[in-house]
Amino acid sequence: MNGSWKLILPVGFVLYSLPLFLRVNGTSDYVIDEEFHIPQGLAFCRKEFDVWDPKITTFPGLYLIALLLNPLNLCTVTGLRMLSLAGAGINILLLYKIRRRILAGSGGNSYAAHEAITMSVLPPLYFFSHLYYTDTLSLTMVLLFYNYWHQEAHLPAAVFGAASVLMRQTNIVWVCMATGMTVLDTLVNQCARTGRVPKENVRLMGKELWLQLFSSPQLLCNCILSILAKCCFYASIILPFVGFLFINGSIVVGDKSAHEASLHVPQLFYFAIFAAGFGISNTIRQFRAAAELIRRNRVLSLLALLLILVVVHLNTEVHPYLLADNRHYTFYIWSRLYGRFWWFRYAMAPAYLLSISVLFCGLRHMPDSFKLMFPLSLFLVLCFQRLLELRYFLVPYILFRLNTRHTRKGYAEWLELGAHLLLNVATFYVYFTKEFYWKNYRTPQRIIW
């Protein structure tokens, strides 16, 4: 049945989405940021590489993929948007393959297929599968990278890692995360082999590993050689990117004024709510464990709650776009809750703490390398973004959801899938029926994620 799922999932996803795609495609020539992406994509599709919009802030990976349309004479708005739909079809296949490998036979192929469907219809992600945005194809490259990295096929992993960075600069963080995990796992495996103990008993947090490592020059040399053999391809991406940062002075290309880096730690809290809210099956199954974790560590939990309150008070950033652009759900969340009631952002602190605990419990089965590198990567990719934008949460959420604790499929998984589908219905209903006009735009504006 494994081979059947590999065909059924992408084909079924595209056929299911095609009528909705055609309806979305007929509503407007440009949807918000497509105002920049589509003209640039059409220029590259026609091989007009001297054309570049200075307001674009990403590398040209999205537009280079448009070259695939040129031999087919499909350099049109519809053709560009079809690239996202095709990418979404590839994504569901990759989600299935990665989740099946992570489950390692637990629950069977049908469970992995169910999980892949649920993740592929994640409402914000599914919506952008119908538009020419970077999000869908950026995720495609990250998943291709992650899939090959999981198989320890480091050369193709590095190729797709580089492609993911061309799609969006912040994807360099996920390349660094995988590289860091490779380094740490290599140390654990080498020390376990030398000490003839199960690698599960070798802890990165324990001093025994480091004492063993630095007391044996031969072991240290073996580790270094093994790390170089595995990570040299990733270094060929990371080191040039460091040079780019040094020369450019910022991760952003083009118009840097609206995307200046600033410390914004509450993004972690918003992400925790996002992941706990959409990852319903994990939240339901880990809620009791999270509550028990907080109860058993009352003093630490109280200190964490106070720290959250201090961070919210001192470091809540409000980007001008968040207050001005009423075409996004975040505008209404902020204007009607966070911005309207001064106390609301503080009242959310317990929810933040509980959500973080739920996420922690969902990943506590993972190796130490993941538990070290994923939170660090999450901090780097989110906490220097001033703008609250749900699209920034998509890749980290998918990586979180792919690695959640193995369980048998039950009502929680069906509830999560059903909630995603119902929310998609509501989202597209609002998109199709709610229109309003901006002074400088001839066409009607619509509300999206």
Side-chain angles (χ1 to χ4, degrees):
M1 188 62 183
N2 178 35
S4 299
W5 282 119
K6 290 180 180 179
L7 179 64
I8 290 170
L9 287 173
V11 173
F13 178 89
V14 171
L15 291 178
Y16 167 81
S17 303
L18 193 56
L20 189 58
F21 171 85
L22 295 174
R23 176 76 188 278
V24 171
N25 189 60
T27 58
S28 177
D29 289 338
Y30 300 152
V31 177
I32 309 184
D33 284 358
E34 283 188 327
E35 175 185 353
F36 310 108
H37 296 312
I38 287 178
Q40 191 62 60
L42 292 175
F44 272 50
C45 188
R46 296 189 295 262
K47 300 183 180 180
E48 298 171 1
F49 302 118
D50 58 330
V51 175
W52 185 259
D53 187 338
K55 292 184 178 180
I56 291 173
T57 59
T58 57
F59 289 157
L62 178 67
Y63 317 118
L64 289 171
I65 286 188
L67 287 168
L68 296 173
L69 301 175
N70 185 280
L72 304 173
N73 294 319
L74 287 175
C75 293
T76 62
V77 173
T78 302
L80 292 176
R81 287 173 173 167
M82 283 291 289
L83 289 174
S84 290
L85 185 62
I90 296 171
N91 288 348
I92 193 172
L93 174 60
L94 291 168
L95 290 168
Y96 166 71
K97 291 179 68 175
I98 297 169
R99 186 59 173 163
R100 183 168 59 87
R101 190 178 303 113
I102 290 173
L103 291 171
S106 174
N109 293 331
S110 63
Y111 182 29
H114 180 102
E115 297 269 74
I117 294 169
T118 300
M119 285 182 273
S120 67
V121 296
L122 174 72
L125 176 62
Y126 186 69
F127 189 91
F128 288 105
S129 300
H130 300 76
L131 302 176
Y132 188 59
Y133 269 63
T134 57
D135 303 277
T136 303
L137 290 167
S138 171
L139 178 62
T140 303
M141 297 305 164
V142 172
L143 289 176
L144 282 165
F145 159 70
Y146 196 60
N147 179 57
Y148 282 110
W149 174 81
H150 245 277
Q151 299 176 56
E152 296 191 15
H154 297 296
L155 177 56
V159 170
F160 288 111
S164 74
V165 176
L166 277 177
M167 287 288 174
R168 183 174 285 168
Q169 293 94 302
T170 52
N171 287 337
I172 191 66
V173 172
W174 308 118
V175 176
C176 291
M177 181 186 86
T179 305
M181 289 176 63
T182 301
V183 170
L184 296 174
D185 289 339
T186 299
L187 295 178
V188 169
N189 292 336
Q190 290 283 354
C191 290
R193 189 179 300 117
T194 302
R196 294 184 175 85
V197 296
K199 64 180 181 180
E200 293 79 12
N201 295 339
V202 180
R203 309 298 298 179
L204 281 172
M205 311 296 185
K207 63 180 181 180
E208 292 82 5
L209 181 147
W210 303 102
L211 287 173
Q212 181 184 358
L213 186 64
F214 290 108
S215 62
S216 172
Q218 183 179 358
L219 175 60
L220 183 60
C221 184
N222 290 339
C223 287
I224 292 172
L225 291 175
S226 182
I227 288 168
L228 288 175
K230 293 178 180 180
C231 297
C232 60
F233 301 117
Y234 305 130
S236 67
I237 306 169
I238 296 168
L239 294 178
F241 192 86
V242 172
F244 158 76
L245 289 178
F246 180 77
I247 295 169
N248 190 57
S250 169
I251 198 171
V252 175
V253 298
D255 183 13
K256 300 181 178 67
S257 60
H259 296 277
E260 294 179 355
S262 61
L263 186 64
H264 191 193
V265 178
Q267 291 274 29
L268 288 176
F269 309 150
Y270 307 145
F271 172 78
I273 290 290
F274 178 94
F278 283 109
I280 295 171
S281 60
N282 178 74
T283 301
I284 289 175
R285 297 191 184 282
Q286 303 302 330
F287 184 87
R288 183 176 297 177
E292 181 64 18
L293 179 68
I294 293 172
R295 189 192 67 80
R296 286 201 320 266
N297 300 276
R298 293 177 184 175
V299 175
L300 285 177
S301 298
L302 181 59
L303 291 174
L305 186 63
L306 291 174
L307 180 61
I308 289 172
L309 289 169
V310 170
V311 169
V312 166
H313 181 73
L314 297 178
N315 194 224
T316 297
E317 298 278 345
V318 185
H319 197 286
Y321 286 0
L322 181 62
L323 301 177
D325 197 338
N326 64 342
R327 297 172 297 181
H328 297 283
Y329 287 113
T330 48
F331 168 86
Y332 298 97
I333 293 171
W334 198 270
S335 63
R336 296 181 181 180
L337 294 173
Y338 284 88
R340 184 175 181 181
F341 305 108
W342 67 266
W343 49 265
F344 184 82
R345 63 185 68 178
Y346 301 105
M348 286 295 293
Y352 296 149
L353 178 61
L354 181 59
S355 296
I356 292 170
S357 301
V358 164
L359 269 58
F360 171 79
C361 290
L363 296 175
R364 61 184 169 179
H365 63 287
M366 294 296 290
D368 289 345
S369 59
F370 185 91
K371 288 188 281 191
L372 280 171
M373 294 304 301
F374 183 69
L376 175 61
S377 302
L378 201 59
F379 179 86
L380 292 174
V381 85
L382 294 181
C383 291
F384 295 95
Q385 305 270 8
R386 189 181 177 196
L387 177 63
L388 172 57
E389 170 63 82
L390 298 184
R391 294 187 296 120
Y392 300 157
F393 297 163
L394 296 179
V395 171
Y397 172 81
I398 290 297
L399 292 176
F400 156 75
R401 187 63 182 80
L402 278 170
N403 290 286
T404 48
R405 182 179 290 275
H406 311 171
T407 60
R408 292 184 178 181
K409 184 167 61 175
Y411 79 95
E413 283 71 28
W414 287 108
L415 181 61
E416 183 175 339
L417 176 59
H420 286 187
L421 293 173
L422 286 174
L423 194 51
N424 280 329
V425 170
T427 302
F428 282 104
Y429 175 80
V430 171
Y431 176 79
F432 290 132
T433 59
K434 178 69 174 177
E435 296 181 356
F436 50 92
Y437 287 84
W438 280 17
K439 291 181 180 179
N440 299 329
Y441 288 82
R442 175 179 52 83
T443 55
Q445 303 300 302
R446 301 170 187 274
I447 299 174
I448 69 171
W449 284 101

